[in-house]
Amino acid sequence: MQERERTTRKGGHKGCRSYLVIPARLASTRLPRKMLLRETGKPLVQHTYESALQANHPLGVCVATDSEEIFQAVQAFGGQARMTDPAAASGTDRVAEIARSMPEIDLFVNLQGDEPELAGSAIDLAIELLERNPAGHMATLATPIRRRGQLEDPASVKVVFDGQGRAMYFSRAPIPYSREWSDGLLKAEPAVFYQHIGLYVYRREVLLDLACRTPSRLELVERLEQLRALEAGYTILVGVIDYHGSGIDTPEDYRAFVERCRTG
């Protein structure tokens, strides 16, 4: 598969040029070497890359990594990869490193390497949120939570947003908290609870600013980078999608993904 670099955009609004970066590191803790797991016949990073290529708006896609093994794996399947600073503290820092070398790009998409099932249309939706809303600084995605176990799982990050789709807070805790629980809350329309999905779109100047800031107070408590942006006063727009996939964080997550690949 050859990397797709577009000289003309297939869509988009108001002249924004976007580029998608997949930060990928080898030293994951809960699922060692997850980017290179290949029980499906492909490394996990390839699944994510191929999903990214289905989006219409980005002018290109690359994997940003500090691992020579991941770099070689991406090249082996015909993808585009760039080595980044091994001292980079986060995926955001890796995306910012790419952004500094691409001043012609307006919007940078950060797609987590462990989100292999996100549809190209969902990626395009997040990009369009910023293209259509000049007051927005960042955009991300969320999907309704319909299971109580998912709501209470700290690995499942929750988000609440206002009536205009602007994020108010992200947390590993169940938010909003129900003082009087009813199972009907999980069936409500519109949904009461939303899970955050690991994708961000940044305006270039916002990305570079966030990468220069030290971790914020709430970010350190929750271990959630997006709280740095909220504490800095940036507006994060949230697009809601119907999403049946899952980020891959644990061996159980990966086994479920493999099973979906085999049956799907």
Side-chain angles (χ1 to χ4, degrees):
M1 174 178 53
Q2 295 298 313
E3 156 67 356
R4 180 179 60 182
E5 293 288 348
R6 305 185 188 89
T7 55
T8 60
R9 301 174 70 248
K10 291 185 178 181
H13 307 272
K14 301 184 180 180
C16 290
R17 294 167 58 88
S18 59
Y19 190 83
L20 191 149
V21 182
I22 302 169
R25 64 189 183 98
L26 200 57
S28 50
T29 54
R30 286 181 290 177
L31 183 57
R33 299 175 60 82
K34 67 179 174 180
M35 289 295 100
L36 298 181
L37 296 178
R38 52 185 313 131
E39 289 183 32
T40 64
K42 300 177 183 179
L44 182 60
V45 67
Q46 182 174 353
H47 285 283
T48 305
Y49 194 97
E50 291 176 352
S51 293
L53 289 179
Q54 300 309 306
N56 287 322
H57 291 334
L59 296 176
V61 177
C62 82
V63 173
T65 185
D66 62 351
S67 164
E68 184 66 31
E69 284 187 76
I70 291 177
F71 182 88
Q72 295 294 341
V74 174
Q75 288 201 320
F77 66 72
Q80 183 83 4
R82 291 180 60 177
M83 294 295 293
T84 52
D85 186 352
S90 68
T92 301
D93 292 316
R94 298 193 196 288
V95 178
E97 188 172 336
I98 302 298
R100 292 186 189 100
S101 69
M102 302 181 73
E104 73 280 8
I105 299 297
D106 305 302
L107 306 177
F108 284 88
V109 183
N110 175 349
L111 174 61
Q112 306 300 306
D114 56 11
E115 286 282 356
E117 298 175 278
L118 198 59
S121 58
I123 297 169
D124 285 335
L125 169 63
I127 293 170
E128 289 165 8
L129 286 175
L130 286 189
E131 291 180 324
R132 294 171 176 166
N133 295 276
H137 302 111
M138 291 172 56
T140 192
L141 297 171
T143 191
I145 292 175
R146 300 300 185 187
R147 294 182 294 105
R148 190 166 183 178
Q150 183 183 8
L151 176 65
E152 296 176 346
D153 183 357
S156 170
V157 177
K158 276 68 68 174
V159 58
V160 292
F161 45 88
D162 68 15
Q164 294 181 291
R166 299 172 299 194
M168 299 167 66
Y169 194 64
F170 298 84
S171 182
R172 297 185 183 279
I175 55 171
Y177 176 77
S178 173
R179 187 171 179 180
E180 297 181 3
W181 177 260
S182 165
D183 288 345
L185 292 171
L186 293 169
K187 301 175 183 178
E189 292 291 352
V192 174
F193 309 107
Y194 290 88
Q195 179 179 348
H196 179 229
I197 296 170
L199 173 138
Y200 302 95
V201 185
Y202 308 85
R203 298 198 189 278
R204 184 176 187 277
E205 63 276 11
V206 173
L207 171 62
L208 297 181
D209 176 61
L210 289 172
C212 291
R213 291 175 178 262
T214 58
S216 67
R217 180 176 58 94
L218 294 174
E219 174 187 359
L220 290 172
V221 172
E222 294 254 20
R223 298 296 177 184
L224 296 175
E225 282 184 70
Q226 57 269 47
L227 295 177
R228 187 186 312 181
L230 288 185
E231 288 191 83
Y234 286 123
T235 297
I236 304 177
L237 304 175
V238 182
V240 175
I241 63 171
D242 187 19
Y243 181 55
H244 300 288
S246 174
I248 312 298
D249 292 315
T250 66
E252 292 75 21
D253 292 338
Y254 185 67
R255 284 195 292 271
F257 168 68
V258 172
E259 184 61 27
R260 288 194 294 274
C261 287
R262 288 173 176 166
T263 60

